[in-house]
Amino acid sequence: MKKMLSCAAILALCLPVAFPVPVSGQDAAVKPGETIEMTGSFLEPLQKRDSALIADQFRYGFHLKDVPAGTRFMLPDLSKGLMDSVDVVSPWLVDTVKVHGSRKSPSAYDIDVSMVLTSFEEGRRDLVPLAVGRSGPDGRVDTLVFDPQSIEFFTMPVDTATYRIHDIKGQIRYPLTFAELLPYVALVWGIAIVAILVWILLSRKKAASEEAAYKDPPYVVALRKLDHFRSNKYWAPEKQKAYYSGITDALREYIAARFGFDAMEMTTAEIFGRLRHTDVPADLYEEMKTLFETADYVKFAKAFASDEENAVALPSAVRFVTTTYQSQLAEEEAKAAASAGDNAKGGEK
């Protein structure tokens, strides 16, 4: 059963709060406490539709023009609601629409006073009239009762003749964007780059090991370097330093590999001090010592070697390499034969 509040009941619910807002300019002949029938109430939808659906919201209120400054209002208390089947979404809101006179000392105002209502039930609603207590600047008190409004709420119509029940829709799948794919693309590229770097590193390491495995023996390297100086064009005084430096550097690298000491960082005296205790033949030893000493004079004393010294330098170096290498092969063959013999004796036992 819909409950309608009378004007007296609404006045009984009035908030004991004075609103220093301008109020209506009514006839001054109105008596104190008199009830005045007013027009100017409004009901405006917040959502513009051709019909009112349940849960739609409306502003319900009234307009007053030329309200003298100093007029005070007593508005109904909406804490317990307005009426059955109508819910108050937002309580009273007083807006000043226009100011008459100067802003510092206005003479009158145009105001809007409204609340926001809604309903969650279908049907027609005859809203209660708005009754407001007013106290004028001259001390006169009266009650303004505004004409009520009515509204009908509808639910969404359903065509039962063509209506068909549908299953619940599945989750909407939106297309992937580049921003969403970028982290995964960057991850794949990162893994690919790391894999390529690891492959390159392993390939270089394998190539280096293979190169070391198939590296030419020291005597071949030495003979190849010495062969570079097989020309008398290096005998010219301005080229002798390069000639002797190239020959002795090739011999130093070979001696380091063949006899196992760092000949590249040793002086001539230190080198031949160590070679004295090896199996190098005495005549070859003296021949090499003479070659190194001649090279030192050419390189450090700015001396010039004779054509005879230049002519024997390269053959002596080649003979030293081939002789010492052959002796090394003979030693290795002797050790291999001895090892084979030991193994054979061990097998007979």
Side-chain angles (χ1 to χ4, degrees):
M1 174 180 177
K2 299 177 181 178
K3 179 176 67 176
M4 305 294 292
L5 298 178
S6 65
C7 296
I10 293 177
L11 286 176
L13 293 173
C14 285
L15 291 169
V17 178
F19 289 82
V21 217
V23 197
S24 69
Q26 296 297 326
D27 193 330
V30 178
K31 298 178 182 179
E34 185 176 354
T35 299
I36 304 173
E37 298 291 336
M38 300 287 294
T39 59
S41 67
F42 63 87
L43 185 68
E44 299 176 350
L46 298 185
Q47 304 88 11
K48 304 299 181 183
R49 305 183 192 276
D50 55 357
S51 60
L53 300 178
I54 57 174
D56 281 353
Q57 297 181 1
F58 293 82
R59 286 182 65 232
Y60 182 37
F62 57 87
H63 304 290
L64 286 176
K65 295 183 178 181
D66 298 323
V67 179
T71 302
R72 302 165 71 84
F73 289 106
M74 296 292 288
L75 299 175
D77 183 6
L78 301 176
S79 61
K80 296 183 180 180
L82 182 66
M83 55 183 291
D84 286 345
S85 303
V86 176
D87 297 314
V88 178
V89 178
S90 177
W92 293 108
L93 178 65
V94 180
D95 289 330
T96 301
V97 178
K98 185 177 180 181
V99 178
H100 298 278
S102 64
R103 290 194 173 274
K104 292 185 177 180
S105 57
S107 59
Y109 303 86
D110 293 347
I111 63 171
D112 282 351
V113 182
S114 64
M115 68 185 82
V116 179
L117 304 176
T118 190
S119 178
F120 296 95
E121 298 181 14
E122 184 181 10
R124 182 179 179 81
R125 306 285 184 272
D126 294 322
L127 301 177
V128 297
L130 298 175
V132 182
R134 179 181 65 174
S135 175
D138 55 358
R140 180 181 57 185
V141 178
D142 50 31
T143 302
L144 306 180
V145 180
F146 294 87
D147 52 324
Q149 301 286 337
S150 59
I151 189 173
E152 187 170 4
F153 289 92
F154 299 92
T155 56
M156 190 67 69
V158 178
D159 187 356
T160 56
T162 60
Y163 176 72
R164 185 164 56 91
I165 298 177
H166 297 275
D167 195 4
I168 298 175
K169 289 187 177 181
Q171 184 178 3
I172 298 177
R173 297 186 177 276
Y174 294 97
L176 290 175
T177 63
F178 179 74
E180 294 173 329
L181 290 175
L182 184 60
Y184 300 98
V185 173
L187 178 61
V188 172
W189 274 103
I191 294 174
I193 291 172
V194 172
I196 291 172
L197 292 176
V198 171
W199 178 79
I200 292 174
L201 182 62
L202 294 177
S203 299
R204 289 183 176 179
K205 188 175 181 180
K206 182 179 180 181
S209 62
E210 291 177 353
E211 182 181 356
Y214 294 100
K215 188 176 180 180
D216 291 334
Y219 83 97
V220 174
V221 175
L223 292 176
R224 185 183 298 124
K225 290 183 177 181
L226 291 173
D227 188 65
H228 177 71
F229 299 96
R230 193 177 298 277
S231 173
N232 58 5
K233 67 178 182 180
Y234 292 100
W235 295 3
E238 65 274 9
K239 294 185 178 182
Q240 285 187 9
K241 183 175 181 179
Y243 178 66
Y244 282 96
S245 294
I247 293 174
T248 54
D249 286 346
L251 291 174
R252 285 174 181 270
E253 292 178 2
Y254 172 73
I255 290 171
R258 169 65 176 84
F259 297 101
F261 57 87
D262 191 8
M264 294 298 297
E265 301 297 329
M266 300 172 69
T267 64
T268 298
E270 291 173 338
I271 293 173
F272 286 91
R274 296 288 295 271
L275 288 177
R276 186 183 296 276
H277 304 290
T278 63
D279 58 352
V280 178
D283 59 337
L284 188 57
Y285 173 87
E286 293 297 333
E287 191 174 350
M288 284 296 97
K289 184 177 179 183
T290 301
L291 172 61
F292 271 77
E293 290 173 350
T294 302
D296 288 343
Y297 281 116
V298 172
K299 291 190 295 183
F300 305 115
K302 297 182 180 181
F304 298 107
S306 64
D307 290 344
E308 292 78 8
E309 292 173 325
N310 294 333
V312 299
L314 185 60
S316 298
V318 172
R319 186 165 54 256
F320 174 79
V321 172
T322 55
T323 301
T324 54
Y325 174 67
Q326 289 174 357
S327 64
Q328 181 181 9
L329 287 180
E331 292 176 1
E332 292 176 354
E333 290 175 357
K335 289 181 180 179
S339 176
D342 293 340
N343 293 333
K345 291 180 180 180
E348 291 177 358
K349 291 180 180 180

